[in-house]
Amino acid sequence: MPRVSSGTDVNGTVAALLRDLAAVQKSQQSMWGYKRAAAAILALEEPLESLLQPDGTLRKIPNVGPSSLRVVMEVLQTGASPTVERAIAESGKRSDIDRRRDLREHFLSRSQVLAALKNRKLRGPTLADYHGDLQMHSVWSDGSQTLNDIVDAGIERGYQFCAVTDHSYGLAIAGGMSMSELAEQHREIDALNQRYEGRFRLIKGIEANIRADGSVDMERDELRELELVVAAPHSALRTEADQTARMVSAVRSPGVHILGHPRGRKYGSRPGVAADWDEVFAAARKANVAIEIDGDPSRQDVDYELAKRAVDAGCLFALDSDAHSTAELAYSETAIAHARLAGVPADRVVNCWPTDKLLTWLARSG
Ligand SMILES: [Zn+2]
């Protein structure tokens, strides 16, 4: 009989154990096998316990082989996996594994995201409240979607607007855009907005980079060319040193609307910025800057726990996909799930505002 209590995220638990197992493999092939299985389980729409059949076996899951399945069954039956613990003990990598485990807190599996979206007891924005996505990347930087793809996919998802926020020139590694490329992109956006007037609005945005000193890597007059500025950290994400001053300075920078993936954490890999977040949120509230919940499954940043503190600070929120392809626009659902778990009031989510109200907020002098 399954011994897992309801409310536990079995999918998340199993996926984390499979990542642990991947990390102690000697062969690349088996490492990738366990990573693939972990990804498949994180992406499952149903909790693993619901895949149990009356004869006690599990329904087949694509990309999950027999040795991964053994871990699934152990967790369903006992809540833990002796197989994984044995492999870790034999590998001599216990401390590395413990460090990785600490870096998987407050991540939601896809099945938990769907459960949070459905759970009527939760306050917070629903899918129907959500009118558009304010962070995404296109072929103009490191994305694979064209601007036209974004309009088509946005309309299909029932959105009224999307902001295109390709990387700024400061982030050359992500194909950051020069100012002349930006001007060219804006001409394409203007043409699309003319064609879709009254139906859909593309917003001219940028994802600017927060430098080590907290300044934004674009000049003030360059920022004025944009309707929406997401400022986000992409460096110093593995240090424990306090970076409160950096983040406070970023939210106070003129022209910034959204603090994007505020910590810059990555699932099982890096902790991101360490800061006194209550102080950062208070500064953001004062500067009228929205705190982003980035819905990329490997980011989930800020998560529902940290988001609760931003709710208490009175902050506005932006719930974004950070999509690099149209399929990834669904990542906004992960952000909405975190907002619901944190009890973010829908009227404090800028994505839930009517287009006119959003544009007025964006046009504020800063
Ligand atoms: Zn970014």
Side-chain angles (χ1 to χ4, degrees):
M1 279 304 287
R3 294 249 313 268
V4 167
S5 60
S6 63
T8 318
D9 177 22
V10 179
N11 298 21
T13 304
V14 169
L17 287 166
L18 292 173
R19 291 290 292 237
D20 290 344
L21 207 45
V24 300
Q25 294 308 302
K26 292 202 178 80
S27 94
Q28 289 277 321
Q29 201 187 345
S30 48
M31 179 196 76
W32 284 113
Y34 287 122
K35 279 196 168 181
R36 230 180 351 259
I41 285 168
L42 280 179
L44 278 180
E45 304 214 327
E46 297 167 295
L48 281 164
E49 53 269 41
S50 73
L51 302 186
L52 270 177
Q53 302 174 115
D55 67 357
T57 61
L58 208 65
R59 231 153 63 205
K60 191 152 175 42
I61 310 164
N63 288 324
V64 178
S67 40
S68 298
L69 206 55
R70 180 150 122 212
V71 175
V72 175
M73 293 309 290
E74 285 177 350
V75 174
L76 285 176
Q77 282 158 6
T78 69
S81 170
T83 302
V84 174
E85 298 311 323
R86 208 177 312 120
I88 295 169
E90 286 166 6
S91 73
K93 291 187 174 174
R94 166 61 63 191
S95 63
D96 179 47
I97 296 294
D98 285 345
R99 185 188 58 82
R100 288 168 190 264
R101 285 181 171 176
D102 286 345
L103 302 175
R104 297 197 193 106
E105 270 186 45
H106 311 310
F107 279 89
L108 302 176
S109 65
R110 178 71 178 155
S111 86
Q112 276 190 311
V113 167
L114 296 178
L117 294 177
K118 271 195 296 207
N119 185 346
R120 287 171 178 225
K121 289 189 203 125
L122 295 173
R123 289 174 59 225
T126 63
L127 281 181
D129 295 329
Y130 188 80
H131 300 320
D133 193 335
L134 299 175
Q135 196 204 155
M136 67 191 62
H137 302 266
S138 77
V139 290
W140 286 88
S141 67
D142 59 348
S144 65
Q145 46 186 354
T146 64
L147 301 186
N148 217 107
D149 293 338
I150 290 171
V151 175
D152 286 345
I155 290 174
E156 196 164 317
R157 293 185 68 83
Y159 296 169
Q160 289 156 23
F161 53 80
C162 276
V164 184
T165 57
D166 282 303
H167 292 283
S168 58
Y169 54 75
L171 209 63
I173 195 170
M177 293 174 74
S178 68
M179 290 310 289
S180 65
E181 285 171 323
L182 204 59
E184 215 181 308
Q185 185 193 51
H186 288 180
R187 281 193 289 277
E188 194 181 325
I189 290 177
D190 287 337
L192 283 165
N193 280 338
Q194 218 165 26
R195 187 156 12 124
Y196 288 91
E197 200 179 345
R199 291 173 59 202
F200 193 84
R201 175 70 155 75
L202 267 186
I203 295 169
K204 296 170 184 167
I206 196 95
E207 182 184 4
N209 186 33
I210 301 173
R211 293 192 190 104
D213 67 358
S215 64
V216 166
D217 69 347
M218 290 177 76
E219 302 301 327
R220 183 72 193 97
D221 60 326
E222 293 172 346
L223 292 177
R224 275 190 244 273
E225 305 282 318
L226 295 147
E227 296 181 286
L228 180 150
V229 177
V230 179
H234 298 95
S235 60
L237 306 176
R238 293 177 189 271
T239 165
E240 283 171 23
D242 178 85
Q243 300 190 60
T244 308
R246 178 191 187 195
M247 304 315 283
V248 166
S249 153
V251 299
R252 284 186 186 151
S253 296
V256 171
H257 300 96
I258 296 172
L259 179 61
H261 53 72
R263 278 178 301 186
R265 70 170 185 168
K266 271 283 170 88
Y267 179 76
S269 133
R270 65 179 191 225
V273 168
D276 177 343
W277 289 105
D278 296 321
E279 207 181 303
V280 177
F281 296 152
R285 155 91 177 86
K286 215 165 157 208
N288 205 10
V289 164
I291 299 301
E292 185 180 67
I293 299 181
D294 185 311
D296 179 326
S298 70
R299 291 188 179 275
Q300 308 197 27
D301 181 12
V302 296
D303 61 59
Y304 58 94
E305 281 297 333
L306 199 46
K308 281 180 196 162
R309 284 158 62 185
V311 171
D312 292 343
C315 291
L316 293 173
F317 286 82
L319 313 182
D320 302 329
S321 67
D322 199 352
H324 288 66
S325 65
T326 48
E328 292 178 0
L329 289 171
Y331 292 172
S332 59
E333 294 164 19
T334 308
I336 296 169
H338 277 276
R340 291 176 62 76
L341 291 168
V344 177
D347 64 359
R348 276 210 250 151
V349 176
V350 297
N351 316 66
C352 297
W353 292 351
T355 310
D356 286 352
K357 183 176 175 185
L358 174 68
L359 294 174
T360 305
W361 177 69
L362 291 175
R364 77 196 199 271
S365 57

